[in-house]
Amino acid sequence: MIKNMLSCRGKPLTPEMKKIVVSVKQYFDRNRFKPTEPSTERTADALGIGKATVKRIMADYNRDPKLLEVPAKTRGRRVYAVSSSYQEAVRTFIRSANKKGEYITLENIGDFLKEISTDTDESFHISTLARTLNRWGFEFGKGTRSQHLKEKDHVIAARRRYLRKKRENRASGTGIATIRPEVYLDESYVNKNHSNDYIWYSGEDGSWVQKPTGKGERLIIVNAVTKSGWVPGAELVFKGSRKTGDYHGQMNRAFFKKWFTEMLLPNIPGNSLIIMDNAPYHNTLSELSPPTPQCSGKRIREWLDYNKIYCRDDCLKAELVEILKKMATEPIYTVDEIARSHGHEVIRTPPYHPELQPIETCWGIVKNHVARKCDFTMNNLIEQLEVGFSKVTEKTCEGIIADVRKIEDEFWTEDMKTDVQESG
């Protein structure tokens, strides 16, 4: 049991554990066993720790026994990030506070996150929160009576356009019936060591589950759902080239275009409304498209010259972008053209709104199953991933889509109320 208690690799030893190390080392010093073996090695082997750890603890003890009481410093660089899993909760919290006219600050949001966080040691630094809120489309501005956090205008406008399109596609009557079939596509990932953090175990024995360090190899998943479930033949799973970082970096335009053309379009109903987010590879510009502000200054200038729109030779890119915004039409994306040629239409969810994508909840169902059945091997991950997909049934998707429709209605109503308050 002692060996199991100390062999938590990557975690600092507590003062009590250090005292055990000293006691075991002194025991082996007093009793010479055969075959002869240094007491340091015997101690390390008995407790399941490294020889260097034993030597370091004994050095501290010999210098001053009180040093054993000093907590170990946390190794590695501290992670300053707020998980995207909090995005929906934070958005609801801020909108609710704005609706009530409450004064809201980063401190309020930090306190709220601590309340809903399952990790008691998780901290939310003010600067990190500010950067995160900006990235999620919020801004700190002057309200009717006081300063408050509010969403950026371009996010509100994008949400309104999206919801208007979705509402126009609703069939009359109740339920989730639509005029055109709706197809939701997305990409996600799962690591080999993805597992539940909490398990049941005997308080006397402690936990015997030793999880590997790191996240392990990664599988990238691409799929699509309708109200009937997963789109047949659209599932794509492949091994990622990196174990960490943003999985979007492991997809590319050509790869997505090939999947979209060969695995999605042949398997969805005719005249579908295809719904996706704003991942970069979803938004590859068509050759016929005007440039966007993110394009190079050279491409913007070439487009202006081609369309006989005057600009000075010494104009900076910032000036070219100003002219472009006044003159250019909406961008044209490659996948939109491909979909249109097959009789479909593509619309995109507004930025920072995963709660409007039913497939996000489907990913959660799949990953929860994988986590419960994890044995830290790639073969099992692949096997359990398929079982996880089977957990998402037609009934599951109907329920998820119905819940998302309620969220759409809430956004539509609340945006109208907020607009009336700000306009008045």
Side-chain angles (χ1 to χ4, degrees), residues 87-97 112 138 355 411:
Q87 187 175 143
E88 181 180 350
V90 169
R91 183 179 302 281
T92 302
F93 176 73
I94 292 176
R95 287 174 63 87
S96 176
F112 167 72
F138 289 93
E355 65 268 38
F411 273 128

Side-chain angles (χ1 to χ4, degrees), residues 173-188:
T174 58
I176 59 172
T178 56
I179 299 171
R180 304 171 63 179
E182 294 181 349
V183 180
Y184 300 87
L185 69 84
D186 194 28
E187 306 80 23
S188 190

Side-chain angles (χ1 to χ4, degrees), residues 23 33 35-36 47 49 53 61 69 128 132 154 184 243 265 273 286 294 309 317 334 371 382 403:
S23 298
F33 297 94
T36 303
L47 299 178
I49 58 178
T53 301
Y61 175 78
E69 301 292 342
T128 304
T132 301
H154 77 90
Y184 300 87
K243 301 177 183 178
L265 294 183
L273 199 60
S286 163
Q294 289 73 38
I309 300 172
K317 181 184 175 181
T334 301
I382 295 172
D403 290 340

